[in-house]
Amino acid sequence: MGLQFPECTKAGTRPRGIEASKELQQAQTTRPESTQIQPQPGFCIKTNSSEGKVFINICHSPSIPPPADVTEEELLQMLEEDQAGFRIPMSLGEPHAELDAKGQGCTAYDVAVNSDFYRRMQNSDFLRELVITIAREGLEDKYNLQLNPEWRMMKNRPFMGSIS
């Protein structure tokens, strides 16, 4: 795909199109800053997609920023009023191939939230279900998946595979 630019009329000036092209090229080659974290295991849920079994490891790290400090009642009211102002910062990891308990291939994703928020979530079915829903939807959007809305928490397994 070639771009054509009109000639400059003033001597010594560059066509704006070339400058814009160089700026665009630089923007495309620089990656947004990212930080490697080593999340701690939390719990694992199992669901599936058209590709097969899917495990989502809900992990936590103090490196993830916490969400705004609101009560469950305030949060429930925001959701009922369809206010999109509440955000739960989370890191959605890359898919990794694993073997399930029967030795069958499956896919696992690591999703990390703030450690303090994770501790709060452990005592609240409402927050836990909200995080799982947001994590599922985030993974579906990020990786163009269609996950089954039915899921099951793994009782004796805090994570599937190794957490990265």
Side-chain angles (χ1 to χ4, degrees), residues 48-134:
N48 57 49
S49 72
S50 59
E51 317 271 311
K53 282 186 197 174
V54 174
F55 292 87
I56 302 173
N57 298 317
I58 304 292
C59 315
H60 58 94
S61 170
S63 300
I64 306 288
D69 192 20
V70 297
T71 65
E72 285 187 34
E73 292 76 27
E74 291 170 326
L75 181 54
L76 190 56
Q77 185 178 355
M78 281 188 232
L79 293 172
E80 286 174 352
E81 294 172 0
D82 203 24
Q83 294 179 6
F86 186 76
R87 303 248 188 274
I88 300 175
M90 58 179 61
S91 171
L92 303 173
E94 299 285 325
H96 47 102
E98 300 294 343
L99 296 176
D100 67 9
K102 296 177 184 172
Q104 302 293 312
C106 61
T107 304
Y109 296 89
D110 303 331
V111 175
V113 297
N114 175 270
S115 292
D116 291 335
F117 181 71
Y118 178 81
R119 284 187 280 283
R120 186 175 158 203
M121 183 179 70
Q122 283 183 297
N123 300 318
S124 167
D125 290 340
F126 171 69
L127 289 178
R128 187 173 28 255
E129 295 224 8
L130 180 63
V131 166
I132 291 168
T133 299
I134 293 170

Side-chain angles (χ1 to χ4, degrees), residues 13-77:
T13 61
R14 300 171 75 186
R16 178 65 189 140
I18 292 174
E19 290 172 19
S21 177
K22 286 184 179 181
E23 288 172 17
L24 181 62
Q25 230 175 5
Q26 285 176 337
Q28 289 173 342
T29 57
T30 57
R31 293 176 168 233
E33 273 193 49
S34 63
T35 304
Q36 287 281 27
I37 62 169
Q38 185 60 46
Q40 299 302 309
F43 61 89
C44 179
I45 66 162
K46 175 179 153 182
T47 186
N48 57 49
S49 72
S50 59
E51 317 271 311
K53 282 186 197 174
V54 174
F55 292 87
I56 302 173
N57 298 317
I58 304 292
C59 315
H60 58 94
S61 170
S63 300
I64 306 288
D69 192 20
V70 297
T71 65
E72 285 187 34
E73 292 76 27
E74 291 170 326
L75 181 54
L76 190 56
Q77 185 178 355

Side-chain angles (χ1 to χ4, degrees), residues 1-4 24 28:
M1 174 170 100
L3 298 174
Q4 295 183 357
L24 181 62
Q28 289 173 342

